Amino acid sequence: MAVTAPHDGSGTRSAYEQRGWCAAPFELEPELLASVRSRVEAISRTARPEVVYEEGSDTVRALHGCHRYDEVCAALVRHPAVVRLAEELVGEPVYLYQFKVNIKGPREGQEWPWHQDFAFWAHEDGMPEPRAVNIAVNLDEVHPANGPLTVLSGSHRLGLVGDGAAESGDDWRSHVSARLTHTVPEEVARALAVEHPPRQVLGGAGAVTAFHPSIVHASSNNTSADRRAVLFLTYNAATNAPAHPKRPAFLVERDTTPVRAAVHTG
Ligand code: SIN
Ligand code: MN
């Protein structure tokens, strides 16, 4: 499989439109990165519904909606370069739709099967169109053995290719576990990979990558001794809010006020 480091100088909007993902032209500042990492560690030790564990284990798999209860995470949502990137790629004012940190513990972090995020947002939440963007911030170095995100480059232009299932009615936990509800079958992903080459999204801690709601993506188990934590900020166009979301607010933010960029002080 071809491997592409994120900082390949390929630009932003045109690369994003063509491939469905791109590297950001900036990194998170080391001080902010350190404080986000320490908040993530502190939140991971708390017991609350937003903290999700690997099945049958006490290894933390993900944290959700941290911007709603942690001020460093809330400040990150307003980070000027991040907001500018989201607005540039979506093309209009945006609000924060979803905030999550996926943590793959050393040797224990489990896979994410092939899927398209827009399948969840459309079928579960009623998001009208894929006019949103995921901004991924590496909190750890992401390398080939700790379960990097793998995207099928250009597959965002195909629309939804998976099960086409209507609203599942499933418990939201099946949207955040290694056994997902709306997947792209392995054989479909394999066939798509012929024309849409798989790319591992690698990079150091602090690297930032954007990817499209419809891009087909997955990530494998963490087989290494290194943790892989990646923070995902999903911004949605302010004119594209789901009318009647039902999932918990820590998975689907109800406040659709466009984000105003602000520099974090302290
Ligand atoms: C996702 O698909 O939402 C996350 C995948 C990952 O954390 O590797
Ligand atoms: Mn996803």
Side-chain angles (χ1 to χ4, degrees):
M1 181 190 299
V3 171
T4 304
H7 292 284
D8 55 5
S10 51
T12 48
R13 188 162 178 161
S14 63
Y16 180 77
E17 282 174 355
Q18 236 219 314
R19 309 183 310 182
W21 67 284
C22 66
F26 64 89
E27 293 197 347
L28 212 62
E29 300 80 351
E31 305 74 38
L32 181 54
L33 176 64
S35 51
V36 173
R37 283 172 57 119
S38 83
R39 294 308 173 105
V40 162
E41 274 141 36
I43 297 166
S44 297
R45 291 191 291 269
T46 62
R48 52 190 309 151
E50 293 92 335
V51 179
V52 171
Y53 302 88
E54 298 289 2
E55 212 169 285
S57 149
D58 56 6
T59 299
V60 174
R61 174 174 174 82
L63 313 176
H64 294 276
C66 312
H67 65 297
R68 298 166 60 83
Y69 50 86
D70 181 88
E71 81 259 14
V72 173
C73 294
L76 182 61
V77 169
R78 299 190 297 271
H79 187 290
V82 173
V83 175
R84 208 176 308 123
L85 178 64
E87 287 175 343
E88 181 190 353
L89 298 180
V90 173
E92 59 180 292
V94 293
Y95 72 95
L96 187 86
Y97 184 75
Q98 196 170 76
F99 184 117
K100 66 187 185 227
V101 185
N102 287 346
I103 303 169
K104 288 190 182 176
R107 298 205 176 87
E108 290 191 72
Q110 288 183 24
E111 63 159 353
W112 290 84
W114 292 109
H115 67 278
Q116 294 169 295
D117 290 349
F118 186 59
F120 292 84
W121 303 339
H123 297 321
E124 303 296 336
D125 306 333
M127 184 188 279
E129 293 177 74
R131 289 191 290 118
V133 65
N134 287 309
I135 311 280
V137 180
N138 291 356
L139 301 185
D140 295 320
E141 187 197 346
V142 178
H143 59 71
N146 64 354
L149 189 72
T150 301
V151 297
L152 297 186
S153 214
S155 60
H156 65 300
R157 287 188 253 113
L158 303 173
L160 291 181
V161 299
D163 56 12
E167 189 181 343
S168 72
D170 277 335
D171 190 275
W172 61 266
R173 283 171 190 81
S174 66
H175 311 150
V176 299
S177 77
R179 290 187 284 134
L180 288 179
T181 310
H182 302 287
T183 56
V184 172
E186 189 70 38
E187 62 278 10
V188 174
R190 210 170 310 121
L192 289 177
V194 175
E195 303 235 328
H196 303 281
R199 299 283 185 239
Q200 290 183 332
V201 181
L202 308 176
V208 179
T209 310
F211 64 102
H212 191 277
S214 301
I215 201 164
V216 178
H217 61 285
S219 65
S220 52
N221 293 346
N222 183 357
T223 56
S224 79
D226 306 319
R227 188 185 74 167
R228 191 229 68 171
V230 179
L231 188 153
F232 296 88
L233 299 153
T234 302
Y235 295 91
N236 187 20
T239 55
N240 194 44
H244 305 291
K246 290 196 290 291
R247 295 196 295 168
F250 59 77
L251 288 180
V252 185
E253 179 57 65
R254 304 301 199 266
D255 180 359
T256 64
T257 313
V259 181
R260 291 225 334 261
V263 178
H264 181 49
T265 49

